[in-house]
Amino acid sequence: MEDVFLPIVICGMLFIGVPWLLLHYVTQWRRARGLSIEDERLLDEMHDLARRLDERLQTIERIVAADDPTWRPGDAPARPLPPEARWPGHA
């Protein structure tokens, strides 16, 4: 009985189990390739937040430019960080 049962189990695993396993994971990979609805919603929220932050930055730049006519956006002098603000191990 065992001489017949073992080859049947092995053939079943080879011809049914392995293809099923491969097709299952191929389907999972295809499904995961696109953005989920939650990912799209999060991306939209982040886009709106970035747009609002950009508007705020432009407003601040206009206010600073009105207070100091010699100031222009992007003219901030490049200063080295003080030693306490640097990460340990970085020069």
Side-chain angles (χ1 to χ4, degrees):
M1 182 69 179
E2 291 179 14
D3 295 339
V4 175
F5 186 67
L6 186 61
I8 292 174
V9 171
I10 291 174
C11 288
M13 288 173 55
L14 285 175
F15 294 110
I16 296 173
V18 173
W20 176 83
L21 190 64
L22 290 173
L23 291 173
H24 170 74
Y25 282 108
V26 167
T27 304
Q28 294 297 321
W29 291 330
R30 285 186 182 166
R31 188 180 310 160
R33 192 180 315 177
L35 291 176
S36 69
I37 294 185
E38 182 179 334
D39 291 339
E40 288 181 10
R41 182 184 54 77
L42 182 62
L43 193 59
D44 286 339
E45 287 176 8
M46 289 172 48
H47 181 264
D48 290 339
L49 178 64
R51 184 185 45 77
R52 289 193 334 246
L53 289 173
D54 187 47
E55 290 172 359
R56 288 179 184 175
L57 181 63
Q58 289 175 1
T59 302
I60 290 172
E61 287 176 348
R62 276 185 290 172
I63 292 170
V64 171
D67 287 345
D68 184 8
T70 61
W71 182 85
R72 288 182 294 174
D75 278 355
R79 294 180 294 153
L81 291 174
E84 61 272 5
R86 294 185 186 137
W87 289 357
H90 288 88

